[in-house]
Amino acid sequence: RARRMKWWHEAKFGMFVHYGLYSIIGHQEWVMESEGIPIPEYEKLAAQFRPKPGAAREWARLAKRAGQKYMVLTTKHHEGFCLWDTATTDYNAARHGAKRDLVREFVEAARAEGLRVGLYYSLMDWHHPDGARCKDDADARERFVGYAHAQVRELLSNYGKIDILWYDVDWPLTPQQWRADAMNRMVFDLQPDIIVNNRNGLEGDFGTPEHRITAEDRAWESCNTMNYGWGYQRSDDQWKPAKRVVNDLTLCVQQGGNYLLNIGPEPDGSVPRGSVETLEAVGAWLRTNGAA
Ligand code: JFZ
């Protein structure tokens, strides 16, 4: 583990990217749930999902200028829409809207800037018909767990070397029901040097305190937003000033942790102006102080 974790401990600062169909609405990434949007209604967003060409390159260049050393993309958030070309479902970015494989573009963009590559994967899924009923229905569970395993296998097979697998929300199943041990074994078979977090309910390689900076007795990474939401929120312009970000980053680093700072791109993948300004200023501060 120490060998696999070395680059990550040195990296200290990464970019989180929350981007999906929810970005089109602009009411954060939980909008399907929080506004009770029925699946057939929500699915219509897929036709409108058109990231501008080169959006991922823009994120990666910004991360680089900000002094970030790795990036983590939401390949599938709770809404269930897959940003990659998957054989497991039609509900994906290669079949709808701009019809492009956003995960491929992201991986290539990060590598082009010399950044490490992380993939976020939500186990919880509001779109898959078995995503909720798998809790009480054994057949549904079998199908749904197989679906998750197949998706993780694709993500770690089709895009070359992946540095981080960032699981999220394991509701409604236990790690045993997810066969989370077997999933991690598959992950390490496919990517021997990868590191994984703990949000599949297992210990993983690092812990993931959220919206708070608290040292843990183990490797940890604090993930944070720059305004109030993870996914794009149109009405929210309460950007953290660069000073606050630098302060939080410093607090993490002093206590041996990592800092994963989020951007929530707009519908076309552009980064909101407020976060661009903050990230540019953070990068400038790090360079002035010999930290980047
Ligand atoms: C999850 C997501 O629901 C949210 O949309 C976002 O993607 C965030 C990064 O992760 O929210 C969580 C997950 C775990 C905790 C808190 C919020 N937790 O362990 O405290």
Side-chain angles (χ1 to χ4, degrees), residues 72-123:
V72 180
L73 172 71
T74 52
T75 64
K76 184 191 86 169
H77 204 268
H78 313 334
E79 65 178 9
F81 185 71
C82 300
L83 298 193
W84 76 99
D85 187 2
T86 173
T88 61
T89 173
D90 267 1
Y91 199 46
N92 77 68
R95 305 273 170 86
H96 297 276
K99 302 204 164 100
R100 306 207 312 263
D101 184 330
L102 255 287
V103 170
R104 184 167 303 285
E105 294 182 14
F106 168 78
V107 170
E108 285 170 0
R111 288 208 194 103
E113 296 298 328
L115 304 172
R116 298 277 187 157
V117 181
L119 303 181
Y120 163 111
Y121 179 81
S122 170
L123 293 159

Side-chain angles (χ1 to χ4, degrees), residues 16 18 29-30 77-78 120 166 168-169 199 210 223 230:
F16 213 169
H18 274 70
E29 75 288 355
W30 272 71
H77 204 268
H78 313 334
Y120 163 111
W166 216 101
D168 200 13
V169 187
R199 288 194 183 182
E210 177 167 311
C223 54
W230 296 98

Side-chain angles (χ1 to χ4, degrees), residues 206-225:
F206 63 95
T208 53
E210 177 167 311
H211 285 305
R212 61 196 157 81
I213 296 168
T214 23
E216 298 190 3
D217 277 343
R218 57 171 312 188
W220 57 276
E221 175 193 67
S222 169
C223 54
N224 275 275
T225 54

Side-chain angles (χ1 to χ4, degrees), residues 166-220:
W166 216 101
Y167 293 112
D168 200 13
V169 187
D170 57 357
W171 185 90
L173 302 179
T174 64
Q176 217 165 348
Q177 290 174 321
W178 283 113
R179 301 198 298 273
D181 268 318
M183 193 185 282
N184 273 353
R185 276 198 302 279
M186 167 181 80
V187 166
F188 286 109
D189 275 349
L190 294 167
Q191 300 278 346
D193 294 327
I194 202 168
I195 61 176
V196 302
N197 75 349
N198 62 345
R199 288 194 183 182
N200 60 350
L202 300 181
E203 189 201 349
D205 294 310
F206 63 95
T208 53
E210 177 167 311
H211 285 305
R212 61 196 157 81
I213 296 168
T214 23
E216 298 190 3
D217 277 343
R218 57 171 312 188
W220 57 276

